[in-house]
Amino acid sequence: MRVVRLGKEPTKIGADIRAAIAAWGPGSGVFGGVAVFGAEPPGAPRTLDAVLVLPRGIVVVVGTDLPESALTLEAPVQTPWTVDGWPLLRQTAAMNPALEALESAAALARALQSRDAEPMPVAAIVAVGPYVAQITQPTNDLYRGVRVLYPSTTSMLAAARELATYERACGVEPARKVLRILDERAGRISVADLTAEGFPDSVTPDLASASTLLIPKVRDEAPAPVPAAAPNALRARLSGLSRRTVLTALGVAAVVLTGAVLSSVWAGGSGSAQDMTAQQVDGVSFERTAAELGGDCAEASFGDVRAWFQRHPCEALSRQVFDSEAASRTATVSLAVVDLGDATPARNLRELLNTPGSGGISDPAAEPGPPTEFDGAAQAVQQTGSQVRIVQAAWASGKSDPGDVSLRVLAERGLRLRTPE
C-alpha cells in the first residue's frame, strides 16, 4: 500500500487510521493499492480521512470521534447511533456517521462517472474511536457496502478485502485517472510504483515482446470498383469470399454502428434531456420510461413532505422513472432531484424524507397522492449542498419490502444516475 498524504487528518482517530493502513507496507504483498489521506473529492460533504484506491475497488474512509471510549456501539444507517445505550448526538448535517460516509461514497462515485473513470465500486468504512469494544451493524447495511469498525491493521484489511470486489484488476492508467480526480498531487505516482501496488500495466511484457515478423503488410492499392449487382449475384460473389473476410467486414460494420449508437446516447455528457434514456451504474442498466423537468414541488409531493414544500417552495425539480433489473427481477426506479437554493432547508428536507411515513415525491406519471406502484419501495436520500436526490426502487410485479437488500442496493445506485439539466 502506497501512502499519499495531502493534509492533516480531519479527525483525531485519523492518526490511527493512517497507522493501521501504513502497517500494510509498500507493494502488493499484503494487499496493494494507494491510500490518499486528507482528500476532498468533488461533491463530498467533508474532507475524508482516507480514500483507498485498490486494484479491485475504491473505499472511502470517514473517521468519527466519539466523546470517549465505549463498550458497545449500535451503528445502523437509517437511524441515530447509540453508544452504551445512549443516543449519539451530532452537530453535523447527517443523521449518523454511516449515512455521511455513504453520501461521501456516492458523491465520489458520481464524480468518477461524470469524468468517464473506471467504473469500480465505491464502498465506505466508518472508523470510530478512541476505542469501541463491540460494534453492531444491521445485516442490510453490510450489503449496502458500509463497514463500521475500530481501525486496527487487521480490521481495516479485512474490510478492504470484503469491499473491493471489482470484476477485474484496474489498470495503471485508469488508476492514475482516479487518483487525479481525487487530487492532482495523488496522480503523479509513477507507472512502476502503481504496477508494484498490483495495478496491471496495459502493455503486458508478452505483448511488448511479441514478434511482428509474421504479420502481413497491408497494401495501399485501391480496390477495383465493384459494379452494382442483383441480390442473387451479390450473394454468389460473397460466397466466393473467405469466411474470415466476411466476418471481418461484418465486425467493422458492427463497430461503426455501435459507435454511432453510443455517441447518440452518451455524447451529451453534461446531462441533456436526450442522452439520459439509457444509463449504466456499476454495470446495472437503467432504461428511462418517463421524465419531467420543472413543476411545483408541493403539487408533485404527498404527505408531510407536501406540507413542508408548501412552507418551503423549491427552486427546481426534475423527475424521472427507469426500468431496471435486480436479482433476476424487473424493478421500477424513480429519481427526483430537488434544488432548494440553500443547504439548510435541503438538510431539513433530507431529515424529513428519512423519517418513516413522512411521504415523498410522486413519479411523473402518477396521479396526485401516494404512488401505489411504489408501495413498500426501498428509498435512498442524498443531500449535496442545496440539492436533494430521492430515489425509490420497487418490484414491477409483486410486493416490495423497504428492507429488501436487492432493492436497497438498486436505490443506492439510483443516486448516481445522471440527470438532465
Side-chain angles (χ1 to χ4, degrees):
M1 173 65 68
R2 183 178 178 85
V3 173
V4 178
R5 191 176 183 186
L6 301 179
K8 295 182 179 179
E9 292 83 7
T11 59
K12 295 179 181 178
I13 196 62
D16 293 344
I17 296 171
R18 179 162 51 87
I21 295 173
W24 298 355
S28 58
V30 176
F31 200 76
V34 179
V36 183
F37 295 99
E40 189 169 352
R46 51 160 281 190
T47 301
L48 304 176
D49 290 75
V51 177
L52 309 182
V53 181
L54 308 170
R56 293 187 178 271
I58 301 172
V59 181
V60 166
V61 183
V62 174
T64 297
D65 295 322
L66 301 178
E68 57 185 10
S69 297
L71 294 176
T72 61
L73 171 65
E74 298 282 342
V77 169
Q78 296 294 347
T79 57
W81 287 8
T82 57
V83 181
D84 291 337
W86 294 87
L88 176 64
L89 302 179
R90 310 191 76 219
Q91 301 298 323
T92 55
M95 181 187 306
N96 60 56
L99 194 59
E100 184 178 67
L102 283 176
E103 290 178 357
S104 299
L108 176 56
R110 286 198 304 272
L112 297 176
Q113 186 179 20
S114 66
R115 291 162 174 79
D116 296 324
E118 186 80 10
M120 291 193 292
V122 182
I125 291 176
V126 183
V128 296
Y131 178 75
V132 180
Q134 182 179 358
I135 299 173
T136 303
Q137 278 188 266
T139 303
N140 289 342
D141 293 349
L142 297 176
Y143 283 108
R144 298 178 72 180
V146 59
R147 299 290 185 273
V148 182
L149 51 81
Y150 169 73
S152 66
T153 300
T154 54
S155 65
M156 293 289 292
L157 180 60
R161 290 187 186 279
E162 292 177 1
L163 296 173
T165 58
Y166 194 42
E167 58 189 11
R168 62 180 183 275
C170 176
V172 167
E173 288 306 319
R176 294 181 77 176
K177 185 172 185 178
V178 170
L179 291 169
R180 284 195 297 269
I181 293 172
L182 288 175
D183 193 281
E184 284 294 334
R185 292 168 289 176
R188 298 171 186 167
I189 301 176
S190 67
V191 172
D193 288 337
L194 287 175
T195 303
E197 294 296 339
F199 298 96
D201 193 356
S202 57
V203 180
T204 63
D206 291 341
L207 181 60
S209 61
S211 173
T212 60
L213 295 178
L214 300 179
I215 301 177
K217 294 183 179 180
V218 178
R219 300 183 182 273
D220 294 331
E221 300 175 0
V226 179
N232 291 337
L234 181 59
R235 187 179 300 110
R237 184 172 301 175
L238 286 176
S239 64
L241 297 176
S242 67
R243 178 181 177 84
R244 178 177 298 179
T245 303
V246 174
L247 290 178
T248 301
L250 291 176
V252 171
V255 169
V256 172
L257 288 174
T258 302
V261 171
L262 288 178
S263 63
S264 67
V265 173
W266 296 105
S270 61
S272 62
Q274 287 76 20
D275 63 10
M276 298 292 105
T277 55
Q279 300 186 48
Q280 281 199 346
V281 179
D282 294 342
V284 177
S285 298
F286 291 81
E287 298 287 338
R288 193 179 69 184
T289 59
E292 182 177 293
L293 293 177
D296 183 86
C297 286
E299 294 181 358
S301 56
F302 58 93
D304 294 339
V305 175
R306 181 185 181 91
W308 190 91
F309 275 125
Q310 290 172 343
R311 300 190 303 272
H312 309 87
C314 66
E315 294 189 358
L317 169 67
S318 70
R319 294 182 291 167
Q320 299 181 84
V321 179
F322 298 84
D323 282 344
S324 188
E325 189 174 291
S328 301
R329 295 181 63 183
T330 302
T332 304
V333 178
S334 169
L335 168 62
V337 182
V338 177
D339 196 326
L340 291 156
D342 187 80
T344 300
R347 180 175 63 250
N348 296 336
L349 174 60
R350 185 197 66 197
E351 293 173 353
L352 175 62
L353 288 164
N354 281 324
T355 304
S358 61
I361 297 180
S362 302
D363 66 85
E367 297 294 331
T372 56
E373 65 269 29
F374 285 97
D375 285 345
Q379 178 174 278
V381 182
Q382 182 182 49
Q383 175 211 347
T384 304
S386 64
Q387 190 180 88
V388 180
R389 286 173 169 250
I390 309 103
V391 178
Q392 289 185 301
W395 299 122
S397 60
K399 293 184 178 180
S400 301
D401 183 348
D404 189 309
V405 173
S406 297
L407 289 177
R408 295 182 71 169
V409 170
L410 197 62
E412 292 293 338
R413 287 192 170 109
L415 290 172
R416 289 148 55 191
L417 288 166
R418 294 179 298 158
T419 56
E421 295 177 351

